[in-house]
Amino acid sequence: KNWNNTMGKCQTRLANIAQLDEDDDNALTMKSTMETSSMGEEGAPASAAPTEPNSLSIFHEDILLAILSYVADVPYEMADIPATRAPTDTHSTLTHTLPLVSKQFHRLARNHDLYWRQALLRLLHDEPKLWEEGMKRVIFNAKCDKLRDEITQRNRNRARRGKRTKYAELNQPQSEPQSQQPPSDDSKVSTSQSSEQSNNKPSKTNTAPTQSKQEELLQEACTTIESHPPRLHTATSSGKYQCMYQSIVLGHLRYQAPVFCMSSAIKLGSPYGLHFFEPRYRVMIAEVMATYPVGARRGERIHPVVPGLFPPEQQRGRTVMDGDIKANLLDLLEKNESTLATCHYPTFIHAHQSLRRNTPAAIVQVLQCDIQPDGSADVFLRPLAYIWLEEIWERPGTGGLVEARGIRMGQEASLGYERWCSMRGFGR
């Protein structure tokens, strides 16, 4: 009886195992049939699942560049800086956000110069006084560098000529002057025909599209730096607008100088006088006035100085400058009187508020200076512009003299700061 029960259980288990194997075979057959039906004649999927296209891939690259140019702001766009950010913050969408979105955005932000052109036009429109002045300063400096290089090259060519060459030129036999013959009739006829042909040529009309004042100034600046690029710029050769932006920021927008710290009320354009007697400020005024003539340090009128060009350098009592270069220099100085008046006089920083980062200070211009034999000085100053202090450090070996670097304020920010100072004076 026990044996019969054991054999019955074994038969039942074998039947269940056979049923499971049959079910597995049916499942495998059905799966292979579905895969075969989903394959085409060449083995490719007959009906693949539709993939959703990338939303940016439907745009042409030029259209994508134009779209992103509306959100690609650059550092120091004062109108777009929120109140929660410091005015000296250099973060921007073009340099810190778009390159991190995707590889495509990174390539567009790094390889295309359109964003910098649109940003410069926006800055010229929003802050015309600040950025136009900086662009004109870049143009003036590039032209001055070109004149300096030309003067250096001519002086070098003069120095290469030895005494033997000069002696040979002096002792060279002079050729007899040739008698001038009157022009023949054939030459007269050919000259008259050429003049008639030139008069009969139709004049070409200027069909170029009209440009705004900002675009013309930007084009002139880019043409100038292409012919004579600024020194120590980090932009690529193809990024002329990026190079222009960097030149304006490094040469005009950012300012570095020693600091005179004293609380006082300052207004742009209103001159005031000071007396320097502390040792650190004696060092400061001596450094500021070091490149100017001795008369400027003795109370005489201070004239602008362009290093290497104006006033002209003299050797052995004569000016080492050719007539054509001198004429070009005088013409350049006459056309850039405003740049000379604001950028080529002695200046330093007057911290009239607390000496901390992101606090306002003033760039002051020395109008008159009288340095005494003991180093103390009486100066007459005029505030030129306000800046936001970016970095502050103490110079070693100067008795505690502080030097700082800052970013110039725009016109609206300067007016707002002066209104705040005037309200603060009344206790509001």
Side-chain angles (χ1 to χ4, degrees):
K1 186 176 180 180
N2 292 334
W3 174 257
N4 292 332
N5 291 335
T6 303
M7 291 298 296
K9 291 180 180 180
C10 290
Q11 290 176 358
T12 304
R13 289 180 180 178
L14 290 173
N16 292 336
I17 292 173
Q19 184 65 29
L20 290 174
D21 292 340
E22 185 178 358
D23 294 340
D24 292 341
D25 293 340
N26 294 334
L28 292 173
T29 304
M30 185 178 296
K31 183 177 180 181
S32 61
T33 303
M34 293 176 62
E35 290 179 354
T36 305
S37 63
S38 64
M39 301 296 290
E41 296 179 357
E42 297 181 358
S47 59
T51 59
E52 184 178 356
N54 187 2
S55 58
L56 297 177
S57 62
I58 62 177
F59 295 108
H60 191 268
E61 186 171 326
D62 295 339
I63 299 177
L64 190 59
L65 286 172
I67 294 174
L68 293 180
S69 64
Y70 287 96
V71 296
D73 61 339
V74 297
Y76 307 120
E77 282 199 57
M78 305 301 181
D80 297 333
I81 295 180
T84 56
R85 285 176 52 185
T88 58
D89 192 356
T90 58
H91 286 74
S92 67
T93 305
L94 181 57
T95 57
H96 294 82
T97 304
L98 288 180
L100 303 179
V101 174
S102 64
K103 292 183 178 180
Q104 184 182 12
F105 279 23
H106 183 274
R107 179 178 58 84
L108 294 176
R110 297 300 180 188
N111 298 337
H112 290 275
D113 207 30
L114 175 66
Y115 301 121
W116 297 98
R117 181 180 185 276
Q118 297 297 331
L120 284 172
L121 291 177
R122 288 197 304 269
L123 291 169
L124 288 173
H125 180 268
D126 297 337
E127 294 287 348
K129 186 177 184 300
L130 180 63
W131 288 87
E132 282 184 8
E133 183 180 353
M135 198 165 292
K136 291 178 181 178
R137 185 175 181 180
V138 170
I139 296 173
F140 178 75
N141 292 337
K143 292 181 178 180
C144 288
D145 290 339
K146 185 177 180 180
L147 289 176
R148 290 190 194 96
D149 294 343
E150 190 171 356
I151 293 173
T152 303
Q153 185 64 30
R154 292 191 183 186
N155 292 336
R156 187 179 296 134
N157 293 337
R158 289 193 189 97
R160 287 176 180 175
R161 294 189 305 174
K163 294 182 179 180
R164 293 182 181 180
T165 306
K166 294 181 180 180
Y167 182 79
E169 291 178 356
L170 292 174
N171 295 336
Q172 186 177 3
Q174 299 180 358
S175 59
E176 296 181 358
Q178 299 180 359
S179 60
Q180 297 181 357
Q181 298 180 358
S184 60
D185 297 337
D186 296 338
S187 62
K188 292 181 180 179
V189 173
S190 61
T191 304
S192 61
Q193 289 178 357
S194 61
S195 62
E196 290 178 0
Q197 291 178 0
S198 61
N199 292 332
N200 293 331
K201 286 183 180 180
S203 59
K204 296 182 180 180
T205 58
N206 187 13
T207 59
T210 57
Q211 294 181 340
S212 62
K213 181 181 178 182
Q214 291 83 2
E215 292 177 346
E216 291 178 356
L217 181 61
L218 180 59
Q219 186 64 30
E220 181 186 358
C222 292
T223 304
T224 304
I225 65 171
E226 280 182 346
S227 60
H228 200 86
R231 298 181 176 92
L232 301 178
H233 73 278
T234 59
T236 58
S237 58
S238 60
K240 58 181 180 180
Y241 297 108
Q242 184 180 1
C243 177
M244 173 57 60
Y245 177 84
Q246 289 182 353
S247 301
I248 296 175
V249 171
L250 297 177
H252 180 72
L253 193 66
R254 182 170 284 153
Y255 178 78
Q256 178 177 334
V259 180
F260 171 73
C261 185
M262 188 183 72
S263 299
S264 59
I266 290 179
K267 186 177 181 180
L268 296 182
S270 300
Y272 61 98
L274 291 175
H275 176 69
F276 294 148
F277 59 90
E278 295 186 29
R280 53 178 176 173
Y281 298 136
R282 295 182 186 185
V283 174
M284 181 191 71
I285 195 63
E287 290 182 357
V288 169
M289 301 297 299
T291 58
Y292 289 82
V294 179
R297 288 172 273 174
R298 295 293 182 264
E300 297 181 4
R301 181 181 177 183
I302 299 177
H303 297 278
V305 172
V306 182
L309 293 177
F310 185 82
E313 296 181 357
Q314 294 187 354
Q315 294 181 1
R316 296 180 181 179
R318 64 183 184 88
T319 302
V320 187
M321 187 179 295
D322 294 337
D324 56 342
I325 296 181
K326 189 174 182 180
N328 294 335
L329 175 61
L330 294 176
D331 183 60
L332 179 63
L333 297 178
E334 184 178 358
K335 291 181 180 179
N336 294 272
E337 291 183 356
S338 60
T339 303
L340 287 173
T342 56
C343 304
H344 291 274
Y345 278 85
T347 55
F348 60 90
I349 298 175
H350 183 180
H352 58 287
Q353 301 288 343
S354 59
L355 191 61
R356 296 195 305 268
R357 290 190 59 186
N358 300 320
T359 55
I363 302 175
V364 293
Q365 182 185 68
V366 182
L367 299 179
Q368 191 174 5
C369 176
D370 187 10
I371 301 178
Q372 304 298 327
D374 59 350
S376 62
D378 295 318
V379 294
F380 196 58
L381 309 173
R382 181 179 63 184
L384 288 180
Y386 294 119
I387 62 172
W388 298 104
L389 294 178
E390 188 177 16
E391 290 187 14
I392 305 167
W393 65 94
E394 183 178 340
R395 291 170 50 182
T398 57
L401 180 61
V402 176
E403 190 160 345
R405 184 176 65 213
I407 299 295
R408 292 177 184 256
M409 288 188 190
Q411 187 174 8
E412 293 184 2
S414 299
L415 295 176
Y417 175 66
E418 286 190 344
R419 286 195 296 267
W420 177 82
C421 290
S422 61
M423 294 173 63
R424 184 186 180 189
F426 289 100
R428 298 179 181 178

